[in-house]
Coordinates of all heavy atoms in Angstrom, one line a residue:
D207 N -10.7 15.8 20.5 CA -11.9 16.3 21.2 C -12.3 17.7 20.8 O -13.5 18.0 20.9 CB -11.5 16.3 22.8 CG -11.5 14.8 23.3 OD1 -12.1 13.9 22.7 OD2 -10.8 14.7 24.3
I208 N -11.3 18.5 20.4 CA -11.6 19.8 20.0 C -12.3 19.9 18.7 O -12.8 21.0 18.3 CB -10.4 20.8 20.1 CG1 -9.3 20.2 19.2 CG2 -9.8 20.9 21.4 CD1 -8.1 21.1 18.9
D209 N -12.3 18.8 17.9 CA -12.9 18.8 16.6 C -14.4 18.5 16.6 O -15.2 19.0 15.9 CB -12.1 17.8 15.7 CG -10.7 18.2 15.3 OD1 -10.6 19.4 15.2 OD2 -9.9 17.4 15.3
I210 N -14.7 17.6 17.5 CA -16.2 17.2 17.6 C -16.5 16.7 19.0 O -15.7 16.2 19.7 CB -16.4 15.9 16.6 CG1 -17.8 15.6 16.5 CG2 -15.6 14.7 17.0 CD1 -18.2 14.7 15.3
E211 N -17.8 17.1 19.3 CA -18.2 16.7 20.7 C -19.5 15.9 20.6 O -20.4 16.2 19.8 CB -18.6 18.1 21.4 CG -18.9 17.9 22.9 CD -19.1 19.2 23.6 OE1 -18.6 20.3 23.1 OE2 -19.8 19.2 24.7
I212 N -19.5 14.9 21.4 CA -20.6 13.9 21.4 C -21.2 13.9 22.8 O -20.5 13.7 23.8 CB -20.0 12.5 21.1 CG1 -19.4 12.5 19.7 CG2 -21.2 11.5 21.2 CD1 -18.8 11.2 19.4
K213 N -22.5 14.0 22.9 CA -23.3 14.0 24.1 C -23.4 12.6 24.7 O -23.8 11.7 23.9 CB -24.6 14.7 23.9 CG -24.6 16.1 23.6 CD -26.0 16.6 23.4 CE -26.0 18.1 22.9 NZ -27.4 18.6 22.7
D214 N -23.2 12.4 25.9 CA -23.4 11.1 26.5 C -24.8 10.5 26.4 O -25.0 9.4 26.1 CB -23.1 11.1 28.0 CG -21.6 11.4 28.3 OD1 -20.8 11.1 27.4 OD2 -21.2 11.8 29.4
S215 N -25.8 11.5 26.4 CA -27.2 11.1 26.2 C -27.4 10.5 24.8 O -28.5 9.9 24.6 CB -28.1 12.3 26.5 OG -27.9 13.4 25.5
D216 N -26.6 10.8 23.9 CA -26.8 10.3 22.5 C -26.2 8.9 22.2 O -26.2 8.4 21.2 CB -26.2 11.3 21.4 CG -27.0 12.6 21.4 OD1 -28.1 12.6 21.7 OD2 -26.3 13.5 20.9
L217 N -25.6 8.3 23.3 CA -24.9 7.0 23.2 C -25.7 5.9 24.0 O -26.3 6.1 25.0 CB -23.5 7.2 23.7 CG -22.6 8.2 23.1 CD1 -21.3 8.2 23.8 CD2 -22.5 7.9 21.6
R218 N -25.6 4.7 23.3 CA -26.0 3.5 24.0 C -24.8 2.6 24.0 O -24.2 2.3 22.9 CB -27.2 2.8 23.3 CG -27.6 1.5 24.1 CD -28.8 0.8 23.5 NE -28.4 0.0 22.3 CZ -29.0 0.3 21.2 NH1 -30.0 1.2 21.0 NH2 -28.7 -0.4 20.1
I219 N -24.3 2.2 25.1 CA -23.1 1.4 25.2 C -23.4 0.0 25.8 O -24.0 -0.1 26.8 CB -22.0 2.1 26.1 CG1 -21.8 3.5 25.6 CG2 -20.8 1.3 26.3 CD1 -20.8 4.4 26.5
D220 N -23.0 -1.0 25.0 CA -23.2 -2.4 25.4 C -21.9 -3.1 25.5 O -20.9 -2.8 24.7 CB -24.1 -3.1 24.3 CG -25.4 -2.5 24.0 OD1 -26.2 -2.3 25.0 OD2 -25.7 -2.1 22.9
T221 N -21.8 -4.0 26.4 CA -20.6 -4.9 26.6 C -20.9 -6.3 26.4 O -22.1 -6.7 26.6 CB -20.0 -4.7 27.9 OG1 -20.9 -5.1 29.0 CG2 -19.6 -3.2 28.2
Y222 N -19.9 -7.0 25.9 CA -20.1 -8.5 25.6 C -18.8 -9.2 25.6 O -17.8 -8.6 25.6 CB -20.9 -8.7 24.2 CG -20.3 -8.1 23.1 CD1 -19.4 -8.9 22.2 CD2 -20.3 -6.8 22.7 CE1 -18.8 -8.3 21.1 CE2 -19.7 -6.2 21.7 CZ -18.9 -7.0 20.8 OH -18.3 -6.5 19.8
C223 N -18.8 -10.5 25.6 CA -17.6 -11.3 25.6 C -16.9 -11.3 24.2 O -17.6 -11.5 23.2 CB -17.8 -12.7 26.0 SG -18.3 -12.9 27.7
A224 N -15.7 -10.9 24.1 CA -15.0 -10.9 22.8 C -14.8 -12.2 22.2 O -14.9 -13.2 22.9 CB -13.6 -10.2 23.1
S225 N -14.7 -12.2 20.9 CA -14.5 -13.5 20.1 C -13.6 -13.2 19.0 O -13.1 -12.1 18.8 CB -15.9 -14.0 19.6 OG -16.4 -13.1 18.7
G226 N -13.2 -14.3 18.3 CA -12.4 -14.2 17.2 C -10.9 -14.6 17.5 O -10.7 -15.5 18.3
H227 N -9.9 -13.9 16.8 CA -8.5 -14.4 17.0 C -7.9 -13.8 18.2 O -6.6 -13.6 18.1 CB -7.7 -14.3 15.7 CG -7.8 -12.8 15.2 ND1 -7.1 -12.5 14.0 CD2 -8.5 -11.8 15.6 CE1 -7.4 -11.2 13.7 NE2 -8.3 -10.8 14.6
G228 N -8.6 -13.5 19.3 CA -8.0 -13.0 20.5 C -7.5 -14.1 21.4 O -6.9 -13.8 22.3
G229 N -8.0 -15.3 21.1 CA -7.6 -16.5 22.0 C -8.7 -16.7 23.0 O -9.6 -16.0 23.1
Q230 N -8.4 -17.7 23.8 CA -9.4 -18.2 24.8 C -9.6 -17.1 25.8 O -10.7 -16.9 26.3 CB -8.9 -19.5 25.5 CG -8.9 -20.7 24.6 CD -10.3 -21.0 24.1 OE1 -11.3 -20.9 24.9 NE2 -10.4 -21.4 22.9
G231 N -8.6 -16.4 26.2 CA -8.7 -15.4 27.3 C -9.7 -14.3 27.1 O -10.4 -13.9 28.0
V232 N -9.8 -13.9 25.8 CA -10.7 -12.8 25.6 C -12.2 -13.2 25.7 O -13.1 -12.3 25.7 CB -10.5 -12.2 24.2 CG1 -9.0 -11.7 24.1 CG2 -10.7 -13.2 23.1
N233 N -12.5 -14.5 25.7 CA -13.9 -15.0 25.8 C -14.5 -15.1 27.1 O -15.7 -15.4 27.3 CB -14.0 -16.3 25.0 CG -13.6 -16.2 23.5 OD1 -14.0 -15.4 22.9 ND2 -12.8 -17.2 23.1
T234 N -13.7 -14.9 28.2 CA -14.2 -15.2 29.5 C -14.8 -14.0 30.2 O -15.5 -14.2 31.2 CB -13.0 -15.7 30.4 OG1 -12.0 -14.7 30.4 CG2 -12.4 -17.0 29.7
T235 N -14.5 -12.8 29.8 CA -15.1 -11.6 30.5 C -15.7 -10.7 29.4 O -15.2 -10.6 28.2 CB -14.0 -10.9 31.2 OG1 -12.9 -10.5 30.4 CG2 -13.5 -11.7 32.4
P236 N -16.7 -9.9 29.7 CA -17.4 -9.0 28.9 C -16.5 -7.7 28.6 O -16.9 -6.7 29.0 CB -18.7 -8.7 29.5 CG -18.4 -8.8 31.0 CD -17.4 -9.9 31.1
S237 N -15.4 -7.9 28.0 CA -14.5 -6.7 27.7 C -14.8 -6.0 26.4 O -14.4 -4.9 26.3 CB -13.1 -7.2 27.6 OG -12.8 -8.2 26.7
A238 N -15.5 -6.7 25.5 CA -15.8 -6.1 24.2 C -16.8 -4.9 24.3 O -17.7 -5.1 25.1 CB -16.2 -7.1 23.1
V239 N -16.8 -4.0 23.5 CA -17.6 -2.8 23.7 C -18.3 -2.5 22.3 O -17.7 -2.4 21.3 CB -16.9 -1.5 24.2 CG1 -17.9 -0.3 24.2 CG2 -16.3 -1.8 25.6
R240 N -19.6 -2.3 22.4 CA -20.3 -1.7 21.2 C -21.0 -0.4 21.6 O -21.7 -0.4 22.5 CB -21.5 -2.8 20.8 CG -22.3 -2.4 19.6 CD -23.5 -3.3 19.3 NE -23.0 -4.7 19.1 CZ -23.3 -5.6 20.0 NH1 -23.8 -5.4 21.2 NH2 -22.9 -6.8 19.8
I241 N -20.7 0.6 20.8 CA -21.3 1.9 21.0 C -22.3 2.3 19.9 O -21.9 2.2 18.7 CB -20.3 3.0 21.2 CG1 -19.3 2.7 22.4 CG2 -20.9 4.4 21.4 CD1 -18.2 3.6 22.6
T242 N -23.5 2.7 20.2 CA -24.5 3.1 19.2 C -24.7 4.6 19.4 O -25.0 5.1 20.5 CB -25.8 2.4 19.3 OG1 -25.5 1.0 19.2 CG2 -26.7 2.8 18.2
H243 N -24.5 5.4 18.2 CA -24.8 6.8 18.2 C -26.2 7.0 17.8 O -26.5 6.8 16.7 CB -23.9 7.6 17.4 CG -24.0 9.1 17.5 ND1 -24.5 9.7 16.3 CD2 -23.8 10.0 18.5 CE1 -24.6 11.1 16.7 NE2 -24.1 11.2 17.9
L244 N -27.2 7.2 18.8 CA -28.6 7.1 18.4 C -29.0 8.1 17.4 O -29.8 7.7 16.6 CB -29.3 7.3 19.8 CG -29.0 6.2 20.9 CD1 -29.8 6.7 22.2 CD2 -29.4 4.9 20.5
P245 N -28.6 9.4 17.4 CA -29.1 10.3 16.4 C -28.8 9.8 14.9 O -29.6 10.1 14.0 CB -28.4 11.6 16.6 CG -28.1 11.5 18.1 CD -27.7 10.1 18.3
T246 N -27.6 9.1 14.7 CA -27.3 8.7 13.3 C -27.4 7.2 13.2 O -27.1 6.7 12.1 CB -25.9 9.2 13.0 OG1 -24.9 8.5 13.9 CG2 -25.8 10.7 13.1
N247 N -27.6 6.5 14.2 CA -27.7 5.0 14.2 C -26.4 4.4 13.8 O -26.3 3.4 13.1 CB -28.9 4.5 13.3 CG -29.2 3.0 13.7 OD1 -29.0 2.6 14.8 ND2 -29.6 2.2 12.6
T248 N -25.3 5.1 14.1 CA -23.9 4.6 13.8 C -23.4 3.7 14.9 O -23.6 4.0 16.1 CB -23.0 5.9 13.6 OG1 -23.4 6.7 12.7 CG2 -21.6 5.4 13.3
V249 N -23.0 2.5 14.5 CA -22.6 1.5 15.4 C -21.1 1.2 15.3 O -20.7 1.0 14.1 CB -23.4 0.2 15.3 CG1 -22.9 -0.9 16.3 CG2 -24.9 0.5 15.4
V250 N -20.2 1.2 16.4 CA -18.9 0.8 16.3 C -18.7 -0.2 17.4 O -19.3 -0.1 18.5 CB -18.0 2.0 16.5 CG1 -18.1 3.0 15.3 CG2 -18.1 2.7 17.8
T251 N -17.7 -1.1 17.1 CA -17.3 -2.1 18.1 C -15.9 -2.1 18.3 O -15.1 -1.8 17.3 CB -17.8 -3.4 17.7 OG1 -17.2 -3.9 16.5 CG2 -19.3 -3.5 17.6
C252 N -15.4 -2.5 19.4 CA -14.0 -2.8 19.6 C -13.8 -3.9 20.6 O -14.4 -3.9 21.7 CB -13.2 -1.5 20.1 SG -11.4 -1.7 20.2
Q253 N -12.9 -4.9 20.4 CA -12.8 -6.0 21.2 C -11.2 -6.4 21.3 O -10.9 -7.5 21.9 CB -13.6 -7.2 20.8 CG -13.2 -7.7 19.4 CD -14.0 -9.0 19.0 OE1 -15.2 -9.1 19.3 NE2 -13.3 -9.9 18.3
N254 N -10.4 -5.7 20.7 CA -9.0 -6.1 20.6 C -8.1 -5.9 21.9 O -7.1 -6.5 22.1 CB -8.3 -5.4 19.4 CG -8.6 -6.1 18.1 OD1 -9.7 -6.6 18.0 ND2 -7.7 -6.1 17.2

Side-chain angles (χ1 to χ4, degrees):
D207 288 336
I208 59 176
D209 292 325
I210 189 167
E211 187 174 339
I212 300 173
K213 297 178 182 178
D214 290 340
S215 59
D216 289 340
L217 301 178
R218 184 177 74 236
I219 302 176
D220 302 304
T221 59
Y222 57 98
C223 292
S225 61
H227 50 176
Q230 291 295 321
V232 297
N233 296 317
T234 58
T235 58
S237 60
V239 174
R240 181 189 300 108
I241 300 179
T242 304
H243 184 249
L244 301 174
T246 61
N247 198 33
T248 301
V249 181
V250 298
T251 62
C252 188
Q253 63 175 35
N254 280 30

